[in-house]
Amino acid sequence: AAGVIQSPRHLIKEKRETATLKCYPIPRHDTVYWYQQGPGQDPQFLISFYEKMQSDKGSIPDRFSAQQFSDYHSELNMSSLELGDSALYFCASSKLGTQGDEQYFGPGTRLTVT
Amino acid sequence: SQQGEEDPQALSIQEGENATMNCSYKTSINNLQWYRQNSGRGLVHLILIRSNEREKHSGRLRVTLDTSKKSSSLLITASRAADTASYFCATGNTGNQFYFGTGTSLTVIP
């Protein structure tokens, strides 16, 4: 079965650079979530999209933005990168029912800011 | 953590023993999910329990949910060395948000 695809898997950037992370949800899933997990930390919810519209916002810095496109893939854009942005970034997708549904996670993108 | 707290933070048991992890949360939820994460790896979905369910089983996993106490437990029976990982609970509410607990680090000693 198809899973959530994230690209790239690894990314190294310098401070003040920009980065774009991509997420391709499971086919027919309508909701995408982004999470950030710092070293030794629990995953933190950043933002979610339902049917291409932003549906909820968590602890996403103003330097970050995201969108979901017509083919349901999503991109997380990160500007003015800081050392503290080094983390694993997970994308998850789900088919939203009235009570929410299982989230399926991608393998993550490991971002290293030097 | 924005939502859940898990205890214990770390648990070490012998292979073959049962492992129980608990998760408490703060607000009303629609569902609660348990995930496993091996060190530095991705999250693996284990089980989802909805707010109108009290208990769910999947293989060696048993999850309970007590919405009156805002708590859930994950029981792994007959543990194996391969179960060594961090285990997180995540709660889903009416919005499209899921919040993770702080995680329990489980070590199963062969």
Side-chain angles (χ1 to χ4, degrees), chain B residues 35-99:
Chain B
Y35 291 86
R36 185 181 108 171
Q37 185 178 37
N38 290 79
S39 180
R41 305 289 296 275
L43 291 154
V44 175
H45 182 270
L46 295 177
I47 199 166
L48 177 149
I49 186 166
R50 299 190 189 281
S51 59
N52 60 355
E53 298 175 310
R54 292 295 166 259
E55 189 171 312
K56 206 162 180 180
H57 298 254
S58 177
R60 293 184 295 114
L61 306 180
R62 173 177 166 254
V63 167
T64 63
L65 179 64
D66 187 336
T67 52
S68 66
K69 294 181 180 177
K70 291 187 168 57
S71 67
S72 174
S73 68
L74 170 67
L75 168 68
I76 304 174
T77 60
S79 64
R80 305 166 182 168
D83 295 329
T84 296
S86 291
Y87 292 82
F88 295 92
C89 71
T91 53
N93 56 25
T94 51
N96 292 344
Q97 297 181 20
F98 284 83
Y99 291 103

Side-chain angles (χ1 to χ4, degrees), chain A residues 31 33 35 37 41-45 47-50 55-59 88 90 94 96 98-107 110, chain B residues 1-2 30-31 33 35 37 40-45 47-48 50-52 56 88 90 92-103:
Chain A
T31 307
Y33 312 80
Y35 295 86
Q37 186 178 28
Q41 312 261 321
D42 50 292
Q44 295 291 318
F45 171 75
I47 195 167
S48 62
F49 292 88
Y50 170 66
S55 57
D56 257 305
K57 209 168 180 180
S59 50
L88 263 173
F90 291 104
S94 70
L96 203 61
T98 55
Q99 285 192 322
D101 210 335
E102 284 186 32
Q103 288 190 319
Y104 294 83
F105 278 78
R110 183 174 292 281
Chain B
S1 171
Q2 287 179 301
N30 287 334
N31 63 61
Q33 302 175 63
Y35 291 86
Q37 185 178 37
R41 305 289 296 275
L43 291 154
V44 175
H45 182 270
I47 199 166
L48 177 149
R50 299 190 189 281
S51 59
N52 60 355
K56 206 162 180 180
F88 295 92
N93 56 25
T94 51
N96 292 344
Q97 297 181 20
F98 284 83
Y99 291 103
F100 281 82
T102 49

